[in-house]
Coordinates of all heavy atoms in Angstrom, one line a residue:
G585 N 44.0 -1.9 2.2 CA 45.2 -1.3 2.6 C 46.4 -1.9 1.8 O 46.3 -2.8 1.2
P586 N 47.5 -1.1 2.0 CA 48.8 -1.5 1.2 C 49.3 -3.0 1.5 O 49.9 -3.6 0.6 CB 49.8 -0.6 1.6 CG 49.3 0.0 2.8 CD 47.8 -0.1 2.8
K587 N 48.8 -3.6 2.7 CA 49.2 -5.0 2.8 C 48.0 -6.0 2.6 O 48.3 -7.2 2.9 CB 49.5 -5.1 4.5 CG 50.7 -4.1 4.8 CD 52.1 -4.5 4.2 CE 53.1 -3.6 4.7 NZ 54.4 -3.8 3.9
A588 N 47.1 -5.5 1.9 CA 45.9 -6.4 1.8 C 46.3 -7.6 0.9 O 45.9 -8.8 1.1 CB 44.8 -5.7 1.1
R589 N 47.1 -7.5 -0.1 CA 47.5 -8.5 -1.0 C 48.3 -9.6 -0.3 O 48.1 -10.8 -0.5 CB 48.2 -8.1 -2.2 CG 48.6 -9.3 -3.2 CD 49.4 -8.8 -4.4 NE 48.6 -7.9 -5.2 CZ 48.9 -6.8 -5.5 NH1 49.9 -6.1 -5.0 NH2 48.1 -5.9 -6.4
A590 N 49.2 -9.0 0.6 CA 50.0 -9.9 1.3 C 49.2 -10.8 2.2 O 49.5 -12.1 2.3 CB 51.0 -9.2 2.1
V591 N 48.2 -10.3 2.8 CA 47.3 -11.1 3.8 C 46.6 -12.1 3.0 O 46.4 -13.2 3.2 CB 46.2 -10.2 4.5 CG1 45.3 -11.0 5.1 CG2 47.0 -9.2 5.4
L592 N 46.1 -11.8 1.7 CA 45.2 -12.6 0.8 C 46.1 -13.8 0.3 O 45.7 -14.9 0.3 CB 44.7 -11.8 -0.3 CG 43.7 -12.6 -1.2 CD1 42.4 -13.1 -0.4 CD2 43.2 -11.7 -2.4
A593 N 47.3 -13.4 0.0 CA 48.2 -14.5 -0.5 C 48.6 -15.5 0.6 O 48.9 -16.7 0.2 CB 49.6 -13.8 -1.0
K594 N 48.4 -15.1 1.8 CA 48.8 -16.1 2.8 C 47.6 -17.2 3.2 O 47.9 -18.2 3.7 CB 49.1 -15.5 4.2 CG 50.4 -14.8 4.2 CD 50.7 -14.3 5.5 CE 50.9 -15.3 6.6 NZ 51.4 -14.8 7.9
V595 N 46.3 -16.8 2.6 CA 45.2 -17.7 2.9 C 44.8 -18.4 1.8 O 43.6 -19.0 1.8 CB 44.1 -16.8 3.6 CG1 44.6 -16.3 4.9 CG2 43.6 -15.7 2.7
T596 N 45.4 -18.4 0.7 CA 44.9 -18.9 -0.6 C 46.1 -19.5 -1.4 O 47.2 -18.9 -1.5 CB 44.1 -18.0 -1.5 OG1 43.5 -18.8 -2.6 CG2 44.9 -16.8 -1.9
R597 N 45.9 -20.6 -2.1 CA 46.8 -21.1 -3.2 C 46.7 -20.4 -4.4 O 47.5 -20.6 -5.4 CB 46.7 -22.6 -3.3 CG 46.9 -23.3 -2.1 CD 46.6 -24.8 -2.3 NE 47.5 -25.4 -3.2 CZ 47.5 -26.6 -3.9 NH1 46.4 -27.4 -3.5 NH2 48.3 -27.0 -4.9
A598 N 45.6 -19.6 -4.7 CA 45.5 -18.9 -5.9 C 46.5 -17.9 -6.1 O 47.1 -17.3 -5.1 CB 44.1 -18.3 -6.0
D599 N 46.9 -17.6 -7.3 CA 47.8 -16.5 -7.7 C 47.1 -15.1 -7.6 O 46.2 -14.8 -8.6 CB 48.4 -16.7 -9.1 CG 49.4 -15.6 -9.4 OD1 49.7 -14.9 -8.7 OD2 50.1 -15.9 -10.5
V600 N 47.3 -14.3 -6.7 CA 46.7 -13.0 -6.5 C 47.6 -12.0 -6.7 O 47.4 -10.8 -6.3 CB 46.0 -12.8 -5.1 CG1 45.0 -13.9 -4.9 CG2 47.0 -13.1 -4.0
S601 N 48.7 -12.2 -7.4 CA 49.6 -11.1 -7.9 C 48.9 -10.2 -8.8 O 47.8 -10.4 -9.4 CB 50.8 -11.7 -8.6 OG 50.5 -12.3 -9.7
N602 N 49.5 -9.0 -9.0 CA 48.7 -8.0 -9.8 C 48.5 -8.4 -11.3 O 47.5 -8.2 -11.9 CB 49.5 -6.7 -9.8 CG 48.7 -5.5 -10.3 OD1 47.6 -5.3 -9.9 ND2 49.3 -4.7 -11.1
P603 N 49.6 -9.0 -11.9 CA 49.3 -9.5 -13.2 C 48.3 -10.5 -13.3 O 47.4 -10.6 -14.3 CB 50.7 -10.0 -13.7 CG 51.7 -9.4 -12.6 CD 51.0 -9.3 -11.5
A604 N 48.2 -11.4 -12.4 CA 47.3 -12.6 -12.4 C 45.8 -12.2 -11.9 O 44.8 -12.7 -12.3 CB 47.7 -13.7 -11.6
F605 N 45.8 -11.1 -11.0 CA 44.5 -10.8 -10.4 C 44.5 -9.2 -10.4 O 44.7 -8.7 -9.3 CB 44.3 -11.4 -9.0 CG 42.9 -11.6 -8.6 CD1 42.0 -12.3 -9.3 CD2 42.5 -11.0 -7.3 CE1 40.6 -12.3 -8.8 CE2 41.2 -10.9 -7.0 CZ 40.2 -11.8 -7.7
P606 N 44.4 -8.6 -11.5 CA 44.4 -7.1 -11.5 C 43.2 -6.5 -11.0 O 42.2 -7.1 -10.6 CB 44.5 -6.8 -13.0 CG 43.8 -8.0 -13.6 CD 44.0 -9.1 -12.8
F607 N 43.3 -5.2 -10.9 CA 42.0 -4.3 -10.4 C 40.8 -4.7 -11.2 O 40.9 -4.9 -12.4 CB 42.4 -2.9 -10.6 CG 41.2 -1.9 -10.2 CD1 40.9 -2.0 -8.8 CD2 40.8 -1.0 -11.1 CE1 39.8 -1.0 -8.5 CE2 39.8 -0.2 -10.7 CZ 39.3 -0.2 -9.4
M608 N 39.6 -4.9 -10.5 CA 38.4 -5.3 -11.0 C 38.3 -6.7 -11.6 O 37.4 -7.0 -12.4 CB 37.9 -4.2 -12.2 CG 37.8 -2.9 -11.6 SD 36.7 -2.7 -10.2 CE 35.1 -2.6 -11.0
A609 N 39.2 -7.6 -11.1 CA 39.1 -9.0 -11.5 C 38.2 -9.7 -10.4 O 38.0 -9.2 -9.3 CB 40.5 -9.6 -11.3
V610 N 37.7 -10.7 -10.9 CA 36.7 -11.5 -9.9 C 37.0 -13.0 -10.1 O 37.1 -13.4 -11.3 CB 35.3 -11.1 -10.1 CG1 34.7 -11.5 -11.4 CG2 34.4 -11.8 -9.1
A611 N 37.0 -13.7 -9.1 CA 37.1 -15.3 -9.3 C 36.7 -15.9 -8.1 O 36.6 -15.3 -6.9 CB 38.7 -15.5 -9.5
T612 N 36.4 -17.3 -8.1 CA 36.1 -18.1 -7.0 C 37.4 -18.7 -6.5 O 38.2 -19.3 -7.2 CB 35.3 -19.3 -7.6 OG1 34.0 -18.8 -8.1 CG2 34.9 -20.2 -6.3
I613 N 37.7 -18.3 -5.3 CA 38.9 -18.6 -4.6 C 38.6 -19.2 -3.1 O 37.7 -18.7 -2.3 CB 39.9 -17.3 -4.4 CG1 40.2 -16.7 -5.8 CG2 41.1 -17.6 -3.6 CD1 40.9 -15.4 -5.7
D614 N 39.4 -20.2 -2.8 CA 39.3 -20.5 -1.4 C 40.0 -19.7 -0.5 O 41.3 -19.4 -0.8 CB 39.9 -22.1 -1.3 CG 39.0 -23.0 -1.9 OD1 37.9 -22.8 -2.3 OD2 39.5 -24.2 -2.1
I615 N 39.4 -19.2 0.7 CA 40.1 -18.4 1.7 C 40.2 -19.4 2.9 O 39.2 -19.7 3.6 CB 39.2 -17.2 2.1 CG1 39.0 -16.3 0.8 CG2 39.9 -16.4 3.1 CD1 40.4 -15.8 0.2
G616 N 41.4 -19.9 3.1 CA 41.6 -20.9 4.0 C 40.9 -22.1 3.5 O 41.0 -22.6 2.4
M617 N 39.9 -22.6 4.3 CA 39.0 -23.8 3.9 C 37.7 -23.4 3.3 O 37.0 -24.3 2.8 CB 38.8 -24.6 5.1 CG 40.0 -25.3 5.9 SD 39.7 -26.4 7.1 CE 39.0 -25.3 8.3
A618 N 37.5 -22.1 3.3 CA 36.2 -21.5 2.9 C 36.2 -21.2 1.4 O 36.9 -20.3 0.8 CB 35.7 -20.4 3.7
P619 N 35.2 -21.7 0.6 CA 35.1 -21.3 -0.8 C 34.4 -19.9 -0.9 O 33.3 -19.7 -0.2 CB 34.1 -22.4 -1.4 CG 33.3 -22.9 -0.2 CD 34.2 -22.9 0.9
C620 N 35.0 -19.1 -1.5 CA 34.5 -17.6 -1.7 C 34.6 -17.1 -3.0 O 35.3 -17.6 -3.9 CB 35.5 -16.8 -0.7 SG 35.5 -17.3 1.0
L621 N 33.7 -16.0 -3.3 CA 33.8 -15.3 -4.5 C 34.6 -14.0 -4.2 O 34.2 -13.3 -3.2 CB 32.5 -15.0 -5.0 CG 32.4 -14.1 -6.2 CD1 32.9 -14.9 -7.5 CD2 31.0 -13.5 -6.5

Side-chain angles (χ1 to χ4, degrees):
K587 302 297 185 182
R589 181 185 290 116
V591 172
L592 187 63
K594 288 187 65 176
V595 296
T596 183
R597 296 179 61 193
D599 185 354
V600 293
S601 66
N602 195 46
F605 201 62
F607 179 60
M608 299 303 277
V610 63
T612 299
I613 295 174
D614 289 346
I615 303 298
M617 297 182 292
C620 300
L621 180 69

